Amino acid sequence: MIAPTDEELVRRHTVYSCVMGSRAFGLATEDSDTDRRGVFLAPTPLFWRFEKPPTHVEGPAEEQFSWELERFCELALRANPNVLECLHSPLVDHADATGRELLALRGAFLSLRAHDSFVRYAVAQRRKLEADVRRYGAPRWKHAMHLLRLLASCRDLLRTGVLDISVGEAREDLLAVKRGEVPWPEVERRMTGLAAGNDAAIASSPLPAEPDRARVEDFLIRVRRASALAAG
């Protein structure tokens, strides 16, 4: 079997693709990019070689990034914010039978692990913003906006058990942050309040302590087996 190029893997074997970023969050403006994310299923025989297929591919289009299915599932089970949000984008470009089954598994990936992963990511991003304030006198306002969005999204996930990435009625308040119209101390106050809301939501959260790893693994084994049989 001749190994396909990375570009061919994305073009020929994508099972799921969507639009992410500001357009999916409901924060798009006239100058917003179109960020595309996807999942491809590398043919099973490629894993029998010494050189394995890539775990992810950038491109071939601008602002496009794709994960191989197994890597995507691993990250989702760890409650990686970027990957979980990708599964919940309202702007789905493509989903074949495998992609639709992946979407049907969205609930299997959700667990209380989201608190640690989302908040840990948020803490790292806040430190970068604080460093910018010390160095330049102001943060990168777009990053500040997205950090507030992420913290609110995680808080609501912990409270309801549902991940909704759309900002809804918070759009204008968040865009005001992006434009630098909200003083940094006020932004800090909001971040601190949202972080506290995340911590408080854990006790009564409907989310399970751990994701349903067995269900996800069963799915992965079945699609790998089907891919091997298809290859003969």
Side-chain angles (χ1 to χ4, degrees):
M1 181 180 183
I2 299 175
T5 65
D6 292 356
E7 180 176 321
E8 288 175 329
L9 284 172
V10 174
R11 292 192 185 279
R12 296 168 49 193
H13 299 286
T14 290
V15 300
Y16 170 71
S17 62
C18 66
V19 173
M20 281 300 301
S22 294
R23 298 192 184 281
F25 302 140
L27 290 168
T29 56
E30 291 181 358
D31 59 346
S32 294
D33 294 327
T34 300
D35 300 321
R36 301 188 183 279
R37 299 292 178 265
V39 181
F40 63 91
L41 173 63
T44 299
L46 294 181
F47 291 91
W48 301 339
R49 297 168 172 264
F50 286 122
E51 185 176 347
K52 308 303 181 187
T55 58
H56 62 271
V57 173
E58 292 191 41
E62 292 186 10
E63 307 297 336
Q64 182 178 11
F65 187 96
S66 300
W67 296 269
E68 205 285 323
L69 179 63
E70 183 173 342
R71 177 60 173 167
F72 185 86
C73 289
E74 288 175 347
L75 292 172
L77 287 168
R78 297 177 197 170
N80 177 283
N82 292 323
V83 169
L84 286 184
E85 289 185 335
C86 178
L87 269 179
H88 291 78
S89 172
L91 305 177
V92 175
D93 281 337
H94 168 76
D96 65 6
T98 301
R100 291 192 293 274
E101 189 170 357
L102 176 64
L103 288 174
L105 279 173
R106 286 184 296 191
F109 294 106
L110 298 178
S111 71
L112 288 178
R113 287 189 179 190
H115 175 266
D116 290 339
S117 62
F118 277 61
V119 172
R120 185 169 59 249
Y121 178 82
V123 168
Q125 294 303 305
R126 182 167 179 174
R127 286 174 179 165
K128 293 180 181 179
L129 293 170
E130 291 169 343
D132 286 341
V133 172
R134 290 193 298 271
R135 185 176 303 174
Y136 306 114
R140 287 169 289 182
W141 292 110
K142 180 178 179 180
H143 292 193
M145 174 191 71
H146 280 297
L147 180 50
L148 289 169
R149 179 203 62 78
L150 182 76
L151 285 168
S153 179
C154 183
R155 178 203 59 195
D156 294 344
L157 167 62
L158 292 168
R159 288 176 175 176
T160 67
V162 176
L163 181 57
D164 182 358
I165 69 173
S166 174
V167 300
E169 296 180 356
R171 171 183 164 85
E172 293 307 319
D173 286 342
L174 288 169
L175 289 177
V177 172
K178 180 183 178 181
R179 293 190 296 266
E181 296 172 357
V182 182
W184 172 242
E186 171 60 18
V187 173
E188 283 191 300
R189 186 192 68 77
R190 294 181 190 181
M191 289 177 179
T192 299
L194 286 168
N198 274 270
D199 293 342
I202 296 176
S204 58
S205 177
L207 291 174
E210 296 291 331
D212 194 340
R213 184 180 180 87
R215 186 178 166 200
V216 175
E217 188 171 53
D218 176 70
F219 160 69
L220 183 61
I221 291 171
R222 284 189 289 103
V223 298
R224 287 274 191 251
R225 182 181 293 119
S227 175
L229 292 173

